[in-house]
Amino acid sequence: MGLYDNEEMEKTTESEEYIKLIGWLKDCRLERNLSLRQLAAKMKISHTYIQKIETNQRRLDVYEYVTYCRALGVNPSAGLRFFAEPLEDKK
């Protein structure tokens, strides 16, 4: 079965991989001693936007993810390791 079959899909923000990715981003922010407001200022967005991302109330798209990583000074490809398991192992 594929993505477009009648099977029910898990919400993206509830997947184990996504939760780990967001945890990694938050850890990176904290390691750099950045508050929500400081990171938001670097990204020129509201601090509540960052809070909603870190509490899984809002999903990041690819562009936002790359922007977030750049603001933290981390390589966006580093976070993709959370999704690197072979598809066969996901059954």
Side-chain angles (χ1 to χ4, degrees), residues 5-10 12-13 16-17 23-24 29-30 36-38 47-48 50 53 64 68 70 77 83 88:
D5 293 335
N6 287 330
E7 61 189 51
E8 198 167 315
M9 288 183 55
E10 178 179 33
T12 306
T13 58
E16 181 181 340
E17 297 91 346
W24 173 73
R29 177 179 65 79
L30 295 173
L36 293 172
R37 290 180 188 273
Q38 290 169 321
H47 72 280
T48 58
I50 302 295
I53 290 167
E64 294 165 333
Y68 204 112
R70 287 181 176 162
S77 64
F83 300 92
E88 298 84 45

PDB file of all heavy atoms in Angstrom, residues 5-10 12-13 16-17 23-24 29-30 36-38 47-48 50 53 64 68 70 77 83 88:
ATOM      1  N   ASP A   5      -3.340   5.223  -0.759  1.00  0.00           N
ATOM      2  CA  ASP A   5      -4.339   4.187  -0.566  1.00  0.00           C
ATOM      3  C   ASP A   5      -5.245   4.609   0.587  1.00  0.00           C
ATOM      4  O   ASP A   5      -5.018   5.617   1.235  1.00  0.00           O
ATOM      5  CB  ASP A   5      -3.670   2.838  -0.259  1.00  0.00           C
ATOM      6  CG  ASP A   5      -2.889   2.311  -1.459  1.00  0.00           C
ATOM      7  OD1 ASP A   5      -3.235   2.683  -2.597  1.00  0.00           O
ATOM      8  OD2 ASP A   5      -1.940   1.549  -1.244  1.00  0.00           O
ATOM      9  N   ASN A   6      -6.224   3.839   0.878  1.00  0.00           N
ATOM     10  CA  ASN A   6      -7.203   4.200   1.896  1.00  0.00           C
ATOM     11  C   ASN A   6      -6.730   3.919   3.324  1.00  0.00           C
ATOM     12  O   ASN A   6      -7.532   3.908   4.234  1.00  0.00           O
ATOM     13  CB  ASN A   6      -8.526   3.482   1.645  1.00  0.00           C
ATOM     14  CG  ASN A   6      -9.250   4.070   0.460  1.00  0.00           C
ATOM     15  OD1 ASN A   6      -9.122   5.248   0.180  1.00  0.00           O
ATOM     16  ND2 ASN A   6     -10.004   3.253  -0.232  1.00  0.00           N
ATOM     17  N   GLU A   7      -5.457   3.693   3.523  1.00  0.00           N
ATOM     18  CA  GLU A   7      -4.952   3.467   4.872  1.00  0.00           C
ATOM     19  C   GLU A   7      -4.861   4.796   5.609  1.00  0.00           C
ATOM     20  O   GLU A   7      -4.648   5.844   5.026  1.00  0.00           O
ATOM     21  CB  GLU A   7      -3.593   2.767   4.837  1.00  0.00           C
ATOM     22  CG  GLU A   7      -2.507   3.561   4.134  1.00  0.00           C
ATOM     23  CD  GLU A   7      -1.249   2.762   3.926  1.00  0.00           C
ATOM     24  OE1 GLU A   7      -1.327   1.655   3.399  1.00  0.00           O
ATOM     25  OE2 GLU A   7      -0.193   3.269   4.303  1.00  0.00           O
ATOM     26  N   GLU A   8      -5.064   4.758   6.910  1.00  0.00           N
ATOM     27  CA  GLU A   8      -5.018   5.966   7.712  1.00  0.00           C
ATOM     28  C   GLU A   8      -3.567   6.324   8.005  1.00  0.00           C
ATOM     29  O   GLU A   8      -2.777   5.482   8.420  1.00  0.00           O
ATOM     30  CB  GLU A   8      -5.777   5.741   9.016  1.00  0.00           C
ATOM     31  CG  GLU A   8      -6.148   7.021   9.699  1.00  0.00           C
ATOM     32  CD  GLU A   8      -7.162   6.791  10.798  1.00  0.00           C
ATOM     33  OE1 GLU A   8      -8.134   6.058  10.563  1.00  0.00           O
ATOM     34  OE2 GLU A   8      -6.939   7.344  11.885  1.00  0.00           O
ATOM     35  N   MET A   9      -3.219   7.587   7.784  1.00  0.00           N
ATOM     36  CA  MET A   9      -1.850   8.038   8.026  1.00  0.00           C
ATOM     37  C   MET A   9      -1.751   8.712   9.381  1.00  0.00           C
ATOM     38  O   MET A   9      -2.651   9.413   9.804  1.00  0.00           O
ATOM     39  CB  MET A   9      -1.422   9.030   6.941  1.00  0.00           C
ATOM     40  CG  MET A   9      -1.179   8.390   5.609  1.00  0.00           C
ATOM     41  SD  MET A   9      -0.593   9.574   4.383  1.00  0.00           S
ATOM     42  CE  MET A   9       0.824  10.260   5.188  1.00  0.00           C
ATOM     43  N   GLU A  10      -0.618   8.506  10.023  1.00  0.00           N
ATOM     44  CA  GLU A  10      -0.329   9.164  11.293  1.00  0.00           C
ATOM     45  C   GLU A  10      -0.063  10.645  11.018  1.00  0.00           C
ATOM     46  O   GLU A  10       0.533  11.000  10.012  1.00  0.00           O
ATOM     47  CB  GLU A  10       0.918   8.512  11.885  1.00  0.00           C
ATOM     48  CG  GLU A  10       1.389   9.087  13.167  1.00  0.00           C
ATOM     49  CD  GLU A  10       2.621   8.369  13.692  1.00  0.00           C
ATOM     50  OE1 GLU A  10       3.442   7.906  12.895  1.00  0.00           O
ATOM     51  OE2 GLU A  10       2.749   8.279  14.910  1.00  0.00           O
ATOM     52  N   THR A  12       1.811  13.966  10.950  1.00  0.00           N
ATOM     53  CA  THR A  12       3.249  14.190  10.868  1.00  0.00           C
ATOM     54  C   THR A  12       3.846  14.588  12.210  1.00  0.00           C
ATOM     55  O   THR A  12       4.888  14.082  12.612  1.00  0.00           O
ATOM     56  CB  THR A  12       3.556  15.286   9.845  1.00  0.00           C
ATOM     57  OG1 THR A  12       2.943  14.945   8.610  1.00  0.00           O
ATOM     58  CG2 THR A  12       5.040  15.452   9.632  1.00  0.00           C
ATOM     59  N   THR A  13       3.197  15.486  12.913  1.00  0.00           N
ATOM     60  CA  THR A  13       3.754  15.991  14.171  1.00  0.00           C
ATOM     61  C   THR A  13       3.714  14.954  15.284  1.00  0.00           C
ATOM     62  O   THR A  13       4.310  15.165  16.331  1.00  0.00           O
ATOM     63  CB  THR A  13       3.021  17.263  14.640  1.00  0.00           C
ATOM     64  OG1 THR A  13       1.634  16.970  14.794  1.00  0.00           O
ATOM     65  CG2 THR A  13       3.221  18.408  13.674  1.00  0.00           C
ATOM     66  N   GLU A  16       7.230   9.427  15.473  1.00  0.00           N
ATOM     67  CA  GLU A  16       8.428   9.310  16.316  1.00  0.00           C
ATOM     68  C   GLU A  16       9.599  10.089  15.731  1.00  0.00           C
ATOM     69  O   GLU A  16      10.323  10.782  16.448  1.00  0.00           O
ATOM     70  CB  GLU A  16       8.796   7.835  16.464  1.00  0.00           C
ATOM     71  CG  GLU A  16       9.998   7.578  17.323  1.00  0.00           C
ATOM     72  CD  GLU A  16      10.348   6.091  17.418  1.00  0.00           C
ATOM     73  OE1 GLU A  16       9.475   5.250  17.135  1.00  0.00           O
ATOM     74  OE2 GLU A  16      11.500   5.794  17.757  1.00  0.00           O
ATOM     75  N   GLU A  17       9.772   9.998  14.417  1.00  0.00           N
ATOM     76  CA  GLU A  17      10.887  10.683  13.757  1.00  0.00           C
ATOM     77  C   GLU A  17      10.762  12.199  13.881  1.00  0.00           C
ATOM     78  O   GLU A  17      11.744  12.890  14.158  1.00  0.00           O
ATOM     79  CB  GLU A  17      10.955  10.303  12.269  1.00  0.00           C
ATOM     80  CG  GLU A  17      11.229   8.853  12.013  1.00  0.00           C
ATOM     81  CD  GLU A  17       9.968   8.004  11.878  1.00  0.00           C
ATOM     82  OE1 GLU A  17       8.868   8.461  12.242  1.00  0.00           O
ATOM     83  OE2 GLU A  17      10.078   6.882  11.401  1.00  0.00           O
ATOM     84  N   GLY A  23      12.941  17.663  18.903  1.00  0.00           N
ATOM     85  CA  GLY A  23      13.752  17.597  20.126  1.00  0.00           C
ATOM     86  C   GLY A  23      15.191  17.978  19.859  1.00  0.00           C
ATOM     87  O   GLY A  23      15.824  18.686  20.653  1.00  0.00           O
ATOM     88  N   TRP A  24      15.720  17.505  18.732  1.00  0.00           N
ATOM     89  CA  TRP A  24      17.097  17.837  18.327  1.00  0.00           C
ATOM     90  C   TRP A  24      17.230  19.342  18.088  1.00  0.00           C
ATOM     91  O   TRP A  24      18.190  19.963  18.554  1.00  0.00           O
ATOM     92  CB  TRP A  24      17.486  17.047  17.082  1.00  0.00           C
ATOM     93  CG  TRP A  24      18.800  17.421  16.500  1.00  0.00           C
ATOM     94  CD1 TRP A  24      20.033  17.134  17.014  1.00  0.00           C
ATOM     95  CD2 TRP A  24      19.025  18.153  15.294  1.00  0.00           C
ATOM     96  NE1 TRP A  24      21.016  17.646  16.189  1.00  0.00           N
ATOM     97  CE2 TRP A  24      20.419  18.268  15.130  1.00  0.00           C
ATOM     98  CE3 TRP A  24      18.182  18.696  14.333  1.00  0.00           C
ATOM     99  CZ2 TRP A  24      20.981  18.930  14.048  1.00  0.00           C
ATOM    100  CZ3 TRP A  24      18.748  19.355  13.254  1.00  0.00           C
ATOM    101  CH2 TRP A  24      20.129  19.472  13.120  1.00  0.00           C
ATOM    102  N   ARG A  29      19.129  24.625  20.105  1.00  0.00           N
ATOM    103  CA  ARG A  29      18.852  25.989  20.588  1.00  0.00           C
ATOM    104  C   ARG A  29      19.369  26.172  22.008  1.00  0.00           C
ATOM    105  O   ARG A  29      20.050  27.164  22.315  1.00  0.00           O
ATOM    106  CB  ARG A  29      17.344  26.272  20.520  1.00  0.00           C
ATOM    107  CG  ARG A  29      16.979  27.650  21.080  1.00  0.00           C
ATOM    108  CD  ARG A  29      15.506  27.942  21.001  1.00  0.00           C
ATOM    109  NE  ARG A  29      14.668  27.088  21.824  1.00  0.00           N
ATOM    110  CZ  ARG A  29      14.484  27.223  23.133  1.00  0.00           C
ATOM    111  NH1 ARG A  29      15.112  28.166  23.806  1.00  0.00           N
ATOM    112  NH2 ARG A  29      13.677  26.412  23.790  1.00  0.00           N
ATOM    113  N   LEU A  30      19.073  25.208  22.859  1.00  0.00           N
ATOM    114  CA  LEU A  30      19.491  25.310  24.262  1.00  0.00           C
ATOM    115  C   LEU A  30      21.004  25.231  24.414  1.00  0.00           C
ATOM    116  O   LEU A  30      21.582  25.935  25.255  1.00  0.00           O
ATOM    117  CB  LEU A  30      18.792  24.232  25.089  1.00  0.00           C
ATOM    118  CG  LEU A  30      17.264  24.364  25.183  1.00  0.00           C
ATOM    119  CD1 LEU A  30      16.662  23.153  25.890  1.00  0.00           C
ATOM    120  CD2 LEU A  30      16.867  25.665  25.854  1.00  0.00           C
ATOM    121  N   LEU A  36      13.736  31.398  23.258  1.00  0.00           N
ATOM    122  CA  LEU A  36      12.771  31.395  22.152  1.00  0.00           C
ATOM    123  C   LEU A  36      12.777  32.749  21.453  1.00  0.00           C
ATOM    124  O   LEU A  36      12.771  32.827  20.217  1.00  0.00           O
ATOM    125  CB  LEU A  36      11.360  31.098  22.676  1.00  0.00           C
ATOM    126  CG  LEU A  36      11.100  29.706  23.238  1.00  0.00           C
ATOM    127  CD1 LEU A  36       9.721  29.652  23.891  1.00  0.00           C
ATOM    128  CD2 LEU A  36      11.205  28.661  22.154  1.00  0.00           C
ATOM    129  N   ARG A  37      12.790  33.801  22.242  1.00  0.00           N
ATOM    130  CA  ARG A  37      12.757  35.158  21.672  1.00  0.00           C
ATOM    131  C   ARG A  37      14.015  35.470  20.859  1.00  0.00           C
ATOM    132  O   ARG A  37      13.942  36.119  19.817  1.00  0.00           O
ATOM    133  CB  ARG A  37      12.577  36.195  22.784  1.00  0.00           C
ATOM    134  CG  ARG A  37      11.195  36.157  23.399  1.00  0.00           C
ATOM    135  CD  ARG A  37      11.049  37.200  24.506  1.00  0.00           C
ATOM    136  NE  ARG A  37       9.806  37.041  25.220  1.00  0.00           N
ATOM    137  CZ  ARG A  37       8.651  37.583  24.870  1.00  0.00           C
ATOM    138  NH1 ARG A  37       8.589  38.326  23.783  1.00  0.00           N
ATOM    139  NH2 ARG A  37       7.568  37.384  25.589  1.00  0.00           N
ATOM    140  N   GLN A  38      15.174  35.019  21.336  1.00  0.00           N
ATOM    141  CA  GLN A  38      16.419  35.286  20.605  1.00  0.00           C
ATOM    142  C   GLN A  38      16.441  34.547  19.265  1.00  0.00           C
ATOM    143  O   GLN A  38      16.838  35.119  18.246  1.00  0.00           O
ATOM    144  CB  GLN A  38      17.621  34.878  21.451  1.00  0.00           C
ATOM    145  CG  GLN A  38      17.850  35.791  22.643  1.00  0.00           C
ATOM    146  CD  GLN A  38      18.868  35.229  23.618  1.00  0.00           C
ATOM    147  OE1 GLN A  38      18.912  34.026  23.884  1.00  0.00           O
ATOM    148  NE2 GLN A  38      19.693  36.112  24.183  1.00  0.00           N
ATOM    149  N   HIS A  47       8.118  34.818  18.603  1.00  0.00           N
ATOM    150  CA  HIS A  47       8.604  33.761  19.499  1.00  0.00           C
ATOM    151  C   HIS A  47       7.537  32.700  19.720  1.00  0.00           C
ATOM    152  O   HIS A  47       7.849  31.540  19.990  1.00  0.00           O
ATOM    153  CB  HIS A  47       9.070  34.346  20.837  1.00  0.00           C
ATOM    154  CG  HIS A  47       7.973  34.814  21.720  1.00  0.00           C
ATOM    155  ND1 HIS A  47       7.355  36.028  21.542  1.00  0.00           N
ATOM    156  CD2 HIS A  47       7.365  34.228  22.777  1.00  0.00           C
ATOM    157  CE1 HIS A  47       6.417  36.173  22.451  1.00  0.00           C
ATOM    158  NE2 HIS A  47       6.402  35.095  23.222  1.00  0.00           N
ATOM    159  N   THR A  48       6.264  33.054  19.597  1.00  0.00           N
ATOM    160  CA  THR A  48       5.202  32.054  19.765  1.00  0.00           C
ATOM    161  C   THR A  48       5.235  31.022  18.639  1.00  0.00           C
ATOM    162  O   THR A  48       4.842  29.876  18.850  1.00  0.00           O
ATOM    163  CB  THR A  48       3.803  32.704  19.853  1.00  0.00           C
ATOM    164  OG1 THR A  48       3.564  33.470  18.672  1.00  0.00           O
ATOM    165  CG2 THR A  48       3.687  33.588  21.073  1.00  0.00           C
ATOM    166  N   ILE A  50       8.016  29.803  17.333  1.00  0.00           N
ATOM    167  CA  ILE A  50       9.039  28.849  17.777  1.00  0.00           C
ATOM    168  C   ILE A  50       8.467  27.951  18.870  1.00  0.00           C
ATOM    169  O   ILE A  50       8.652  26.733  18.855  1.00  0.00           O
ATOM    170  CB  ILE A  50      10.296  29.572  18.317  1.00  0.00           C
ATOM    171  CG1 ILE A  50      10.901  30.494  17.271  1.00  0.00           C
ATOM    172  CG2 ILE A  50      11.334  28.571  18.837  1.00  0.00           C
ATOM    173  CD1 ILE A  50      11.453  29.813  16.051  1.00  0.00           C
ATOM    174  N   ILE A  53       6.246  25.292  17.430  1.00  0.00           N
ATOM    175  CA  ILE A  53       7.037  24.245  16.765  1.00  0.00           C
ATOM    176  C   ILE A  53       7.602  23.293  17.816  1.00  0.00           C
ATOM    177  O   ILE A  53       7.473  22.076  17.687  1.00  0.00           O
ATOM    178  CB  ILE A  53       8.169  24.866  15.923  1.00  0.00           C
ATOM    179  CG1 ILE A  53       7.586  25.590  14.704  1.00  0.00           C
ATOM    180  CG2 ILE A  53       9.173  23.785  15.484  1.00  0.00           C
ATOM    181  CD1 ILE A  53       8.567  26.484  13.988  1.00  0.00           C
ATOM    182  N   GLU A  64      11.058  26.102   6.025  1.00  0.00           N
ATOM    183  CA  GLU A  64      11.129  26.580   7.409  1.00  0.00           C
ATOM    184  C   GLU A  64      12.185  25.808   8.195  1.00  0.00           C
ATOM    185  O   GLU A  64      12.910  26.389   9.011  1.00  0.00           O
ATOM    186  CB  GLU A  64       9.769  26.437   8.087  1.00  0.00           C
ATOM    187  CG  GLU A  64       8.705  27.337   7.497  1.00  0.00           C
ATOM    188  CD  GLU A  64       7.303  26.946   7.917  1.00  0.00           C
ATOM    189  OE1 GLU A  64       7.065  25.757   8.215  1.00  0.00           O
ATOM    190  OE2 GLU A  64       6.440  27.832   7.932  1.00  0.00           O
ATOM    191  N   TYR A  68      15.315  27.464  10.016  1.00  0.00           N
ATOM    192  CA  TYR A  68      15.498  27.209  11.454  1.00  0.00           C
ATOM    193  C   TYR A  68      16.930  26.734  11.710  1.00  0.00           C
ATOM    194  O   TYR A  68      17.620  27.242  12.609  1.00  0.00           O
ATOM    195  CB  TYR A  68      14.496  26.138  11.869  1.00  0.00           C
ATOM    196  CG  TYR A  68      14.093  26.073  13.313  1.00  0.00           C
ATOM    197  CD1 TYR A  68      12.801  26.402  13.699  1.00  0.00           C
ATOM    198  CD2 TYR A  68      14.960  25.630  14.302  1.00  0.00           C
ATOM    199  CE1 TYR A  68      12.399  26.302  15.025  1.00  0.00           C
ATOM    200  CE2 TYR A  68      14.564  25.528  15.625  1.00  0.00           C
ATOM    201  CZ  TYR A  68      13.274  25.873  15.971  1.00  0.00           C
ATOM    202  OH  TYR A  68      12.884  25.771  17.281  1.00  0.00           O
ATOM    203  N   ARG A  70      19.618  27.105   9.827  1.00  0.00           N
ATOM    204  CA  ARG A  70      20.588  28.178   9.549  1.00  0.00           C
ATOM    205  C   ARG A  70      20.658  29.163  10.705  1.00  0.00           C
ATOM    206  O   ARG A  70      21.744  29.630  11.059  1.00  0.00           O
ATOM    207  CB  ARG A  70      20.230  28.883   8.246  1.00  0.00           C
ATOM    208  CG  ARG A  70      20.539  28.037   7.038  1.00  0.00           C
ATOM    209  CD  ARG A  70      20.198  28.758   5.764  1.00  0.00           C
ATOM    210  NE  ARG A  70      20.588  27.946   4.609  1.00  0.00           N
ATOM    211  CZ  ARG A  70      20.126  28.129   3.395  1.00  0.00           C
ATOM    212  NH1 ARG A  70      19.255  29.090   3.152  1.00  0.00           N
ATOM    213  NH2 ARG A  70      20.517  27.347   2.410  1.00  0.00           N
ATOM    214  N   SER A  77      21.112  18.864   6.965  1.00  0.00           N
ATOM    215  CA  SER A  77      21.190  17.429   6.669  1.00  0.00           C
ATOM    216  C   SER A  77      21.435  16.602   7.926  1.00  0.00           C
ATOM    217  O   SER A  77      21.099  15.412   7.964  1.00  0.00           O
ATOM    218  CB  SER A  77      22.259  17.137   5.614  1.00  0.00           C
ATOM    219  OG  SER A  77      23.539  17.463   6.098  1.00  0.00           O
ATOM    220  N   PHE A  83      15.234  10.249   9.945  1.00  0.00           N
ATOM    221  CA  PHE A  83      14.368   9.658   8.930  1.00  0.00           C
ATOM    222  C   PHE A  83      15.133   8.699   8.020  1.00  0.00           C
ATOM    223  O   PHE A  83      14.613   8.271   7.000  1.00  0.00           O
ATOM    224  CB  PHE A  83      13.757  10.764   8.054  1.00  0.00           C
ATOM    225  CG  PHE A  83      12.935  11.736   8.835  1.00  0.00           C
ATOM    226  CD1 PHE A  83      13.491  12.895   9.344  1.00  0.00           C
ATOM    227  CD2 PHE A  83      11.602  11.481   9.075  1.00  0.00           C
ATOM    228  CE1 PHE A  83      12.735  13.795  10.076  1.00  0.00           C
ATOM    229  CE2 PHE A  83      10.828  12.367   9.804  1.00  0.00           C
ATOM    230  CZ  PHE A  83      11.401  13.527  10.302  1.00  0.00           C
ATOM    231  N   GLU A  88      11.864  -0.573   4.464  1.00  0.00           N
ATOM    232  CA  GLU A  88      11.463  -1.928   4.800  1.00  0.00           C
ATOM    233  C   GLU A  88      11.309  -2.107   6.311  1.00  0.00           C
ATOM    234  O   GLU A  88      10.516  -2.898   6.771  1.00  0.00           O
ATOM    235  CB  GLU A  88      12.482  -2.967   4.292  1.00  0.00           C
ATOM    236  CG  GLU A  88      12.648  -2.999   2.789  1.00  0.00           C
ATOM    237  CD  GLU A  88      13.630  -1.938   2.302  1.00  0.00           C
ATOM    238  OE1 GLU A  88      14.714  -1.776   2.899  1.00  0.00           O
ATOM    239  OE2 GLU A  88      13.295  -1.240   1.320  1.00  0.00           O
TER     240      GLU A  88
END
